[in-house]
Amino acid sequence: MANATIRVQFGSPDGQGASEGHLSAEVDARPQGLNAGKTSFSPGETVYLLVYKSDNVSITDTICSAGSLSAQGTVTVPVTDELMFEDADSASLSVPARAGLTASVWYGRSLGNLTLQADKVTVKAQAKGVGVAKVSYEALAQVYALASPASLNGETDFSILALIKGSAT
C-alpha cells in the first residue's frame, strides 16, 4: 500500500509566511450566521461575507464586478480546525485566532500541550511528530455585504466576483 501527503504552501517559500500576514474571505455559511446558512442566492439579494485578517494586515481596497460591497462591522466567529502535524512541532490555523485556543483534543498520538504563537495562526506542540489535533477557538471577522442587482445584462443567472485587497506591515 502506498500513502501520499501533499502540502501546498502560499506566501514566502522560506516558511516565513506568517510575517506576510493572513487575508481570506468566505460566504457566511454558518447556520445561525448572517446568511442564515444559505450558500446560494437569488438575484437582488444581499450576501454577507466574512473577511479574516491578521493584525499586521490592513484592508486597502474592496472591489466587486457588479453590485456594491460595503463594510458592516465585525463579528466573533467560533472556529474548529483539524491541525496536521507532519513530522513537525507546529501547524497552522485556517484563520487567525482572536486569543488563545478554547479547546483541543488529539486524534491518536499526542504531541503534548498546544500553544498559540504570537502571529495568532501558528500552533506549536510540545514535541515534534506526526499527529492530528482538533482545536477550537474564536476568530474576529470583518463583515462585508455584497448587494446584488436583480439582473445583469438581462441575465438572472450570474456570478459576481468580490476582491478584497490588503497590505501587510
Side-chain angles (χ1 to χ4, degrees):
M1 179 189 316
N3 294 315
T5 304
I6 185 167
R7 178 179 176 189
V8 179
Q9 184 168 344
F10 299 91
S12 56
D14 61 0
Q16 300 301 317
S19 66
E20 296 289 322
H22 174 98
L23 180 62
S24 63
E26 64 187 25
V27 170
D28 186 354
R30 300 171 298 150
Q32 273 69 46
L34 298 165
N35 295 316
K38 287 177 57 177
T39 57
S40 61
F41 305 92
S42 298
E45 285 189 289
T46 297
V47 179
Y48 293 95
L49 309 176
L50 300 176
V51 177
Y52 300 96
K53 67 180 198 63
S54 53
D55 292 339
N56 67 329
V57 171
S58 298
I59 293 177
T60 58
D61 200 6
T62 58
I63 308 163
C64 57
S65 62
S68 64
L69 189 61
S70 60
Q72 302 291 307
T74 60
V75 65
T76 301
V77 179
V79 180
T80 299
D81 281 341
E82 283 189 355
L83 300 181
M84 307 294 174
F85 292 83
E86 301 171 7
D87 197 24
D89 65 354
S90 64
S92 296
L93 300 175
S94 61
V95 297
R98 184 174 183 199
L101 302 176
T102 56
S104 65
V105 64
W106 286 100
Y107 292 140
R109 178 178 292 127
S110 171
L111 302 180
N113 290 331
L114 298 173
T115 306
L116 180 65
Q117 301 301 291
D119 66 3
K120 297 182 183 174
V121 174
T122 305
V123 175
K124 195 153 180 91
Q126 282 180 300
K128 178 181 175 181
V130 175
V132 178
K134 181 174 103 172
V135 298
S136 298
Y137 58 98
E138 288 186 339
L140 186 65
Q142 294 188 359
V143 178
Y144 282 83
L146 175 62
S148 146
S151 66
L152 284 175
N153 297 331
E155 297 284 332
T156 57
D157 187 10
F158 53 83
S159 296
I160 296 176
L161 178 64
L163 175 64
I164 294 132
K165 292 182 176 184
S167 175
T169 56

